[in-house]
Amino acid sequence: MSFKKDEDTDELGALMNLDHSTVLQEARVFNETPIRPRHSRLLLAKIIFLLYRGDSMSTTEATNLFFSITKLFQCKDMSLRQMVYLTIKELSTISEDVIMVTSSLMKDMQPNSEITYRANAIRALCKIVDPSMLPGIERFLKSAIVEKSPSIASAALVSSLHMFKDAKDVIRRWGNEVNEALNGKSLSQGPSFFGGSSAQNQVVSNSKIVQYHALGLMYAIRQHDRMAVLKLVQSFSGQNKSSSWMGGSSPTLRSDMAHVLLVRYAVRVMENDPSLLPQLYTLLEEWMGHRSDMVCIEAARAMCQLKDVTAKQLTPAVNVLQQALSATQKPTMRFAAIRTLNALARTHPEAVQPCNVDMEGLITDSNRSIATFAITTLLKTGNEASVDRLMKQMQGFMAEISDEFKIIVAEAVRSLCRKFPGKHSVFLGFLSGVLRDEGGFDFKRAAIEAITDLAKNVPECKEAALAHLCEFIEDCEFTKLSVRVLYFLGEEGPLTARPTVYIRHIYNRVVLENAVVRAAAVSALAKFGVSPVADPSLQRSVRVLLKRCLDDRDDEVRDRAAWALRMADGEQSLRDKYVRDDSTFALAVLERKLVEYCADPAAAAKGGFSFESIPRISRAQEEESRVRARMENMDAVLTGTTLSAPSASGRAAGKSESAEPGTPGLGSGAAASGFMDSFEQQAQYASKLNAIPELAAFGDQPLVSSAKPVELTESETEYVVRCVKHVYESHVVFQFDITNTIPEQVLEQVEVAMEPEEDIEGVLQPVLVVPIAELKCDQPGTAYVAFEHIDPETFPAVSFGCTLKFVVKECDPATGEPEEDDDGFEDEYSLEATDISAGDFMQATYIPDSHALWESLGADGEAIETFALASFDSIEDCVAKVCELLGMCPLEGALKPKSKAAHQAVFTGRWLGRTRAIARTRMTYQKGAGVTMELAVRSEDRNVSELVVSAVA
């Protein structure tokens, strides 16, 4: 067998056309004597290529192949041996009895073997060894970690890091050896396990890469001991030995990559402790002057990503990044600097403005990624006078960048449209131009969303924007985008001065497009026909067009046309409900309810599927959710990670420690970033509660659940506790998510004792306590306390004093297991008080057409109260607090006051998930006097209105 080139086939083509069965038959060559190294090496390359290509291999085939390959250990050819190691590692996951090759690998790790053999043998051995067998080779790996050969030491360190997930308890005992490798000191005065005298082992390793790998493993070992990590950071951060908070000599980091890791670990361990923040700022400023460019950039990036950082503290970081922008010979430096500035411009655009001149010079950079970041950053930090120049420069390189970066540009232009509405003609011209260019679906969608956003927020350009969209759908290759544009034309077209212009373009789609687009066009025509501002002649014309659609060949189009004609001839209230209503169902809840209904055989006997329990949200809320998800994806493109990147490595390493967080969703990155949908969270709460039989008896799911947990302790305390409240038909359940942060303790029989601070006799009665059987360090658990709501007519506002009670047992921090002869002792821990108020009984639900609801409820169910809220310094803070107290859904614009002096807000919700309620607030602010607010609430039950008002009182 050999790779032979001919006129039509090269080596890559030969690999791409490999046949699975043919390669396995050729593997019989491994059994030949003598072994042919080159022949065997090429065959091993074919096997690895098949595995990388994704070809499946049965366990029997893989096992036979594995043991055939082990016979190649008889050959001393170094290149062949390296391929054998690589193939063994790939086959180890699908073969059986791979442990049989251990003796061959151990032989290659002997001191008389080649260094290349020894390092690769360690990697292969650690790949196939079972965690239960690790103690048997522990002594061997510990000695390898401090071996003077950098390749052997690095192989042992990296392999240990890979095994750490499955063998934490064993590897944590190697701290001394890892520390010796990290500091570059001799571990012992005796002979090395690998051979050699003590004189030859006075210096373990002076390789920089060894220190980098050792620091990573040391952090993995100590990551859950905050003080140990802090000590590690402080011991290596002594660049200024005269620092007031550190004294004496300190070891130094020779590896620049290790220094970058140190910066990230420092941010992770110190950013959430207010007492350590000044020290962190000092350290980061010192690191910004490091001799290595990558350390300077990492320190500046970490400073820019700190929470609540001020403009003054950002100045040194911005100066470092500004200097990096002028590194003409280092494109990686320019890219790292401009990417960091781009992320910073989203939160602190004023801090980035001093770099505008330098960034304008990068617009013509030969690296299109750098140029894209430069232009999008300038769009965020520039002023109105520079808009024309920037937009003209952007048109020059749009054709040279990928769709991924085109989307970023479109989103930047979209945000700039809101910032400088006076430049709408420039923005609209640019966006309409890019719509005519070649591009993928995502890019065209981003451009369309920018145009529709501009049309909504700048009335002066609405008709021009609609005209560009009409031109786009005349030759649009994407069905979804045509449907999106038609929907927008149906929403905005009837409100323009000349709606007939858009009707012509819409009806063209009925004639020329596929069934999906034709159906969307019929729905858009229907909105023109039922518009309250449409004149009778226009309505007659629309009816004529809709009647023509009744003969369409697609049943969906015919049905929509018949429905539209029925609505056009119906009453105005019918039109408002079925045509102009902009609300939609919360899809996450709707999907879960439908799945539960289909899975329950008795559901049909109980009655048909009911939509009453499905919450509704506005189109604006749905669009906001999509925008947040889109911005999250764009952040990943801009920064390569999330904004909390310095601590990402720590989270990744510790992910497996707490695989089941107590509060649903709060342990995920999505929730930590604020992107988790609240209705999905409610569904997770219900699923977790139903898993406990005692709580499942209260009902299928809570009527109301808290929107967010209430912290009952500080995040740095020994025990972290937060509370979530769930309201059932006749019960109230308090969910306590508890985390033990002390490695030397295991808690048992953990529960929360609740004592009411007011008399609740005859209203609430404690009925159930669900404790946590065992709570280990950093493994969150959940305890419950349930009260029965005895009087359904009374809704108490009461505070509860909370005490955490548990049995403490000492344990080994390495294993987390309590000592066998330790009976433990009872202990208590005081928590912050929690309360229940009227807002906890309100389900935040969007109710469409709030004006009609307000009028229909009438003054009979109204309660009005005026409040003097002198403690608030702004209307924005006041309206956010009122929304939290009421527990209701803010309608569009409620939480974003346009004026600092006066504001009106509307909130809707359902009391206990049933009774509709709407609240209107009028606020005025005067400096020194605070906020004066009038709160008016109407509902289907006057008592509910009074209870909602009492939530603020």
Side-chain angles (χ1 to χ4, degrees), residues 585 611-616 703-705 727 838-848 853 886-889 907-919 938-940 944 948:
F585 290 108
F611 286 92
E612 292 298 322
S613 61
I614 311 299
R616 300 178 72 90
L703 300 176
V704 183
S705 290
V727 177
D840 294 317
F841 296 91
M842 179 67 72
Q843 183 186 65
T845 305
Y846 173 77
I847 301 177
L853 174 64
L886 296 178
M888 303 178 78
C889 174
F907 306 88
T908 60
R910 291 180 181 271
W911 184 261
L912 290 177
R914 295 188 297 266
T915 306
R916 295 181 301 172
I918 181 171
R938 289 184 179 182
S939 74
E940 296 167 326
V944 170
V948 173

Side-chain angles (χ1 to χ4, degrees), residues 95 168 241 269 362 370 517 520 597 660 789:
S95 303
K168 298 184 182 68
K241 293 186 171 110
V269 76
L362 296 179
I370 295 176
V517 178
Y597 179 81
E660 188 179 347
H789 193 186

Side-chain angles (χ1 to χ4, degrees), residues 320-328 333-335 337-339 341 355 358-359 362:
V320 170
L321 297 172
Q322 187 174 9
Q323 293 175 4
L325 293 178
S326 58
T328 55
M333 283 281 291
R334 300 198 303 274
F335 180 80
I338 193 63
R339 188 176 69 172
L341 289 171
C355 303
D358 300 270
M359 289 188 292
L362 296 179

Side-chain angles (χ1 to χ4, degrees), residues 523-577:
S523 297
L525 286 175
K527 293 182 179 180
F528 281 85
V530 302
S531 173
V533 298
D535 58 79
S537 62
L538 177 64
Q539 291 179 339
R540 288 194 297 270
S541 299
V542 172
R543 286 192 182 92
V544 171
L545 297 177
L546 290 174
K547 288 179 180 178
R548 294 179 183 176
C549 297
L550 293 175
D551 298 326
D552 194 275
R553 60 183 178 275
D554 186 80
D555 57 348
E556 174 71 16
V557 179
R558 296 194 302 271
D559 290 346
R560 290 198 185 197
W563 169 82
L565 289 169
R566 174 69 179 85
M567 292 298 104
D569 296 333
E571 298 179 356
Q572 186 64 37
S573 60
L574 199 63
R575 300 176 184 177
D576 294 341
K577 181 177 180 181

Side-chain angles (χ1 to χ4, degrees), residues 2-5 8-19 46 49 53:
S2 63
F3 288 108
K4 292 184 179 180
K5 282 191 176 182
D8 303 316
T9 306
D10 57 11
E11 293 183 5
L12 180 60
L15 285 175
M16 295 301 294
N17 296 321
L18 283 178
D19 180 67
K46 286 185 175 184
F49 183 83
R53 194 173 67 180

Side-chain angles (χ1 to χ4, degrees), residues 842-909:
M842 179 67 72
Q843 183 186 65
T845 305
Y846 173 77
I847 301 177
D849 202 351
S850 59
H851 178 75
L853 174 64
W854 179 269
E855 296 298 332
S856 65
L857 292 175
D860 293 338
E862 184 177 22
I864 302 178
E865 189 72 39
T866 302
F867 302 92
L869 308 173
S871 60
F872 290 99
D873 296 327
S874 69
I875 289 180
E876 186 173 0
D877 293 341
C878 181
V879 73
K881 185 62 177 179
V882 169
C883 179
E884 179 183 344
L885 292 173
L886 296 178
M888 303 178 78
C889 174
L891 299 191
E892 187 174 2
L895 300 181
K896 297 179 180 179
K898 296 182 179 180
S899 170
K900 296 182 178 180
H903 179 58
Q904 295 185 5
V906 181
F907 306 88
T908 60

